[in-house]
């Protein structure tokens, strides 16, 4: 279960996922739902819930809070991949 959460196949990020039909040309397989983004959305909802009462009126307080939370979440996601692919060198082909 965790291997599909982190898009690993047999412990590797460099193998095609099992749902990919490799007999078809690249990009022709129907895309599966992305569990990583679901995990991020659930985490965001539980840890940083929306203040729906404040959002009934447009005020900079709640807008800036959501902007900050969303920016940090995206920066963590992309920062992780930048670090492992380039910092650790996992993005080099064998």
């Amino acid at each position: 279960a965790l291997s599909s959460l982190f898009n690993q196949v047999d412990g590797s990020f460099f193998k095609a996922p099992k749902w990919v039909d490799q007999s078809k040309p690249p990009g022709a397989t129907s895309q599966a739902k992305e569990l990583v983004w679901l995990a991020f959305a659930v985490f965001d909802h539980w840890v940083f819930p929306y203040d729906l009462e404040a959002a009934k009126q447009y005020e900079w307080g709640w807008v800036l809070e959501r902007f900050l939370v969303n920016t940090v979440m995206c920066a963590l996601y992309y920062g992780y991949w930048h670090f492992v692919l380039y910092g650790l060198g996992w993005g080099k082909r064998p």
Side-chain angles (χ1 to χ4, degrees):
L2 284 180
S3 64
S4 65
L5 179 64
F6 297 110
N7 292 326
Q8 293 183 16
V9 175
D10 301 326
S12 174
F13 291 110
F14 304 106
K15 294 181 181 177
K18 299 197 184 305
W19 54 266
V20 172
D21 185 353
Q22 293 187 331
S23 66
K24 295 180 179 179
T29 300
S30 176
Q31 298 294 306
K33 298 291 181 188
E34 187 64 61
L35 291 178
V36 172
W37 288 115
L38 175 63
F40 266 83
V42 169
F43 175 82
D44 183 26
H45 180 72
W46 282 341
V47 177
F48 307 105
Y50 283 87
D51 185 354
L52 297 179
E53 286 300 315
K56 288 182 179 179
Q57 296 182 4
Y58 188 84
E59 295 179 5
W60 283 107
W62 70 265
V63 172
L64 291 175
E65 179 184 341
R66 292 313 313 169
F67 178 78
L68 180 64
V69 167
N70 292 343
T71 301
V72 168
M73 298 265 299
C74 287
L76 288 173
Y77 180 81
Y78 286 104
Y80 166 78
W81 283 109
H82 181 80
F83 174 72
V84 298
L85 291 175
Y86 300 110
L88 297 178
W90 290 5
K92 295 179 182 170
R93 294 182 180 224

